[in-house]
Amino acid sequence: MDIRQLRYFLAVAAERNFSRAAERLNMAQPPLSRQIQQLEQEVGATLFDRDARPMALTGAGRLFYEHAVQVTRRLEELKDAMRSFVSANRPRFVVGFVPSVLYARLPDIIRNFRKTVPNVELSLVEMMSIEQIVALKEGRIDVGFGRLRFEDPAIEREVLREEELVAALPLGHRLLKGERPIDLTALSDEAVIVYPREPRPSYADQVLSLLRDHGVTPAAVHEVRELQTALGLVAAEVGICIVPSSVHAMGRRDLVFRELTERAVSPIIMSHRKDDNSPNLAAMAASVVAIYEEWNWPVPASMKRRLPQD
């Protein structure tokens, strides 16, 4: 007797019909009937009253059913317990990220990391840059990918690249006449949408500072919670949004992304605890380097120094 036969028995007991049970088990009926017959021979009793309509369990069958249910349930509990044990004892690595870096090849970096260290349980948590600082110091995350420059003696930052900013405009907007880049000063008569609304400081403050530096006072500023909401409002002609150029990869057909005349960038920053020399952090650095080299992006020297040494 094995667990497979018990599952066969329970399927027949549930369906009260060999044909329907065979379909449920995705097998032919004759092999199923033979398995039940072998089971009956082993226990020395008839388990099903085949003459009843619908087919019913015999007295011996009802006793066998009660124990079969308990055995299969205990087996599932054992599987769950072992999965929990293995998961609890696997090394864990938690990554915090701001949503916009998802379009800057972060998914490729994560896939590469998983392939490199398959025995590590990897978790991703969406959080703003300022939240990542606290989460790193409290040990809730191991590395953060954000856009906010900050100084903290307990945290080390690696500026991976400076990503160009572009303007997102609705279809048919007056500033889209011609193919020329857009001058920031042209936004003085426009409503500007910034995100996230909170926590601050954030990418929203980078954009507002950029506008102030160029003497731009928008007609209105709308603060929203997230990137997707901002782009939705742009499509609805509520205003214009300044976004990282990688957002263009979203492929939205209700928006136009246009370069800016002025050089405007937003950093992509990898943050981690100072003096963290863990092999998992080194593996994450190696994944960043591998993807950046694949896309022919410059790799910061500080990242190369973090690579595992042969």
Side-chain angles (χ1 to χ4, degrees):
M1 186 187 307
D2 58 33
I3 192 65
R4 179 171 51 93
Q5 288 177 310
L6 294 185
R7 295 190 191 283
Y8 290 164
F9 167 80
L10 291 174
V12 176
E15 297 293 341
R16 296 189 176 189
N17 182 282
F18 278 98
S19 296
R20 289 197 299 270
E23 290 179 7
R24 175 174 170 176
L25 294 166
N26 195 28
M27 64 185 297
Q29 180 181 336
L32 175 60
S33 297
R34 285 195 297 270
Q35 288 292 329
I36 298 301
Q37 289 171 0
Q38 291 174 10
L39 189 59
E40 290 176 321
Q41 291 171 5
E42 184 172 351
V43 300
T46 301
L47 302 176
F48 292 100
D49 181 354
R50 291 166 173 78
D51 295 327
R53 292 293 181 270
M55 188 170 61
L57 289 168
T58 63
R62 288 192 293 272
L63 176 63
F64 190 85
Y65 179 85
E66 293 176 4
H67 287 277
V69 168
Q70 293 179 29
V71 170
T72 54
R73 182 180 298 142
R74 288 292 295 159
L75 180 63
E76 292 305 316
E77 291 173 354
L78 174 60
K79 289 180 179 178
D80 291 340
M82 291 308 299
R83 277 194 290 266
S84 298
F85 176 83
V86 171
S87 177
N89 286 275
R90 287 175 63 189
R92 193 160 181 261
F93 194 76
V94 185
V95 177
F97 67 96
V98 297
S100 65
V101 299
L102 287 175
Y103 309 105
R105 311 262 60 100
L106 180 60
D108 295 340
I109 292 169
I110 295 302
R111 280 194 294 271
N112 189 286
F113 178 87
R114 288 185 187 276
K115 189 185 304 182
T116 305
V117 282
N119 63 316
V120 172
E121 181 183 355
L122 180 66
S123 300
L124 290 101
V125 183
E126 180 181 331
M127 56 176 58
M128 295 300 104
S129 298
I130 195 70
E131 295 173 319
Q132 293 177 20
I133 304 171
V134 178
L136 281 167
K137 292 197 286 189
E138 292 180 350
R140 290 186 284 116
I141 66 173
D142 298 291
V143 68
F145 290 91
R147 292 186 178 275
L148 183 65
R149 299 180 189 274
F150 60 86
E151 297 295 335
D152 190 295
I155 305 299
E156 191 168 335
R157 300 177 302 128
E158 314 276 358
V159 179
L160 303 181
R161 62 190 294 251
E162 300 279 2
E163 185 176 4
E164 290 188 4
L165 301 182
V166 298
L169 302 97
L171 299 176
H173 193 278
R174 65 178 183 85
L175 294 178
L176 292 175
K177 293 179 180 178
E179 298 295 329
R180 298 186 304 274
I182 293 175
D183 195 301
L184 282 173
T185 57
L187 302 186
S188 294
D189 299 325
E190 300 289 337
V192 174
I193 302 166
V194 297
Y195 66 92
R197 179 186 303 153
E198 55 185 21
R200 305 292 277 272
S202 68
Y203 174 76
D205 298 290
Q206 291 183 357
V207 172
L208 294 175
S209 177
L210 172 68
L211 296 177
R212 283 195 300 270
D213 290 346
H214 289 83
V216 177
T217 303
V221 175
H222 302 294
E223 298 183 0
V224 297
R225 290 178 60 88
E226 56 185 25
L227 170 62
Q228 294 286 2
T229 304
L231 296 180
L233 292 179
V234 172
E237 301 183 353
V238 175
I240 290 174
C241 189
I242 305 298
V243 299
S245 58
S246 59
V247 173
H248 194 293
M250 295 173 64
R252 294 191 59 144
R253 297 182 179 179
D254 53 354
L255 301 173
V256 177
F257 297 92
R258 186 62 59 84
E259 293 180 352
L260 300 173
T261 301
E262 299 84 354
R263 183 178 185 274
V265 297
S266 176
I268 298 177
I269 302 172
M270 187 177 92
S271 304
H272 54 85
R273 286 180 288 277
K274 199 172 186 63
D275 300 325
D276 183 349
N277 297 312
S278 69
N280 290 335
L281 180 61
M284 180 58 73
S287 295
V288 171
V289 171
I291 298 305
Y292 272 43
E293 289 180 341
E294 181 180 327
W295 283 83
N296 294 317
W297 290 343
V299 177
S302 59
M303 291 297 292
K304 289 186 176 182
R305 288 195 295 270
R306 292 196 166 277
L307 297 183
Q309 300 300 314
D310 295 332

